[in-house]
Amino acid sequence: KMFYHILRFILKPLISNLFSLKIIGFENIPEKGGYILVMNHFNHIDPVFIAIADERRIYFLTRAKAFRELKSIFWVRFTKQIPVEENNSAKAIKKSVEYLKKGKVIGIFPEGTIVGASKLRRFRTGVARIALEARAPIIPIALINTTGILSEKYYFPKKIQKVIVRIGKPLNFKKYYGRQNDRRITKKVANKVRLEVRKLLK
């Protein structure tokens, strides 16, 4: 936890100034309790902007491959992010639910990829399964103008441009709590969250 906050403390002024970072809707983030931050994913740098936007420590669901890649291993391993195995998200979902019930914050990019990163793609239903089982609110967020900042190697920025983080109001799906295994319901919830993120992107 300490390493995460030290890294955030160092990066916040640097990233904020470099990209003229503007955060809109900060008041929509709950002051306490567990919640899920859900964002579009247009560039590898996206988690950094989200970490700066929220004062609390965030556990991001991260593809397991990143824990073995030199370009990302420092960030994901030392800040203890949650690995998601390809085609098997059960462990990541279980850990996320445990964290939320303990009042921690989870960060999810439900598109699961940045391929074709200029438009919002389909949201995977894992985010709905986690929210309904943990009975946690979802905070929709739009990351605006992050496309193209880092290249595939992503050691240094390729482009410097103004970035906006727009945070929406919390979404609660109380009427569906406990129905995380109903595919029809999880798809409905995921689509609703995607719609809210899309509205914030405009």
Side-chain angles (χ1 to χ4, degrees), residues 190-201:
N191 287 340
K192 171 63 177 172
V193 177
R194 181 184 179 277
L195 180 63
E196 293 302 314
V197 172
R198 191 173 73 179
K199 286 179 186 175
L200 293 168
L201 277 169

Side-chain angles (χ1 to χ4, degrees), residues 166-193:
R166 186 175 288 139
I167 304 165
K169 294 184 182 300
L171 303 173
N172 286 287
F173 297 94
K174 292 182 180 179
K175 63 180 178 179
Y176 300 132
Y177 283 173
R179 299 180 68 182
Q180 62 272 7
N181 295 319
D182 187 329
R183 177 73 180 173
R184 183 180 61 86
I185 295 298
T186 55
K187 191 173 181 180
K188 186 175 182 178
V189 170
N191 287 340
K192 171 63 177 172
V193 177

Side-chain angles (χ1 to χ4, degrees), residues 11-12 19-20 31 35 46-47 52 55 64 85-86 89 92 97 101 103 109 124 127 136 149 152 159 180 200:
L11 288 176
K12 185 175 181 178
F19 296 99
S20 302
E31 292 182 7
Y35 54 86
D46 292 341
I52 289 170
E55 298 289 335
E85 297 292 343
E86 197 167 341
S89 58
V97 170
K101 286 181 176 179
F109 297 94
R124 297 180 183 182
V127 60
I149 290 177
E152 273 301 310
K159 294 167 76 176
Q180 62 272 7
L200 293 168

Side-chain angles (χ1 to χ4, degrees), residues 127-183:
V127 60
R129 290 167 62 192
I130 292 167
L132 300 185
E133 186 175 349
R135 299 172 183 253
I138 293 174
I139 316 296
I141 300 177
L143 284 157
I144 300 166
N145 205 32
T146 64
T147 303
I149 290 177
L150 293 184
S151 65
E152 273 301 310
K153 292 181 179 179
Y154 59 90
Y155 291 112
F156 299 101
K158 187 173 70 171
K159 294 167 76 176
I160 303 297
Q161 53 205 28
K162 181 178 175 63
V163 171
I164 298 171
V165 176
R166 186 175 288 139
I167 304 165
K169 294 184 182 300
L171 303 173
N172 286 287
F173 297 94
K174 292 182 180 179
K175 63 180 178 179
Y176 300 132
Y177 283 173
R179 299 180 68 182
Q180 62 272 7
N181 295 319
D182 187 329
R183 177 73 180 173

Side-chain angles (χ1 to χ4, degrees), residues 6-19:
I6 291 170
L7 196 59
R8 182 183 180 276
F9 179 78
I10 294 168
L11 288 176
K12 185 175 181 178
L14 181 67
I15 296 293
S16 297
N17 292 321
L18 192 61
F19 296 99

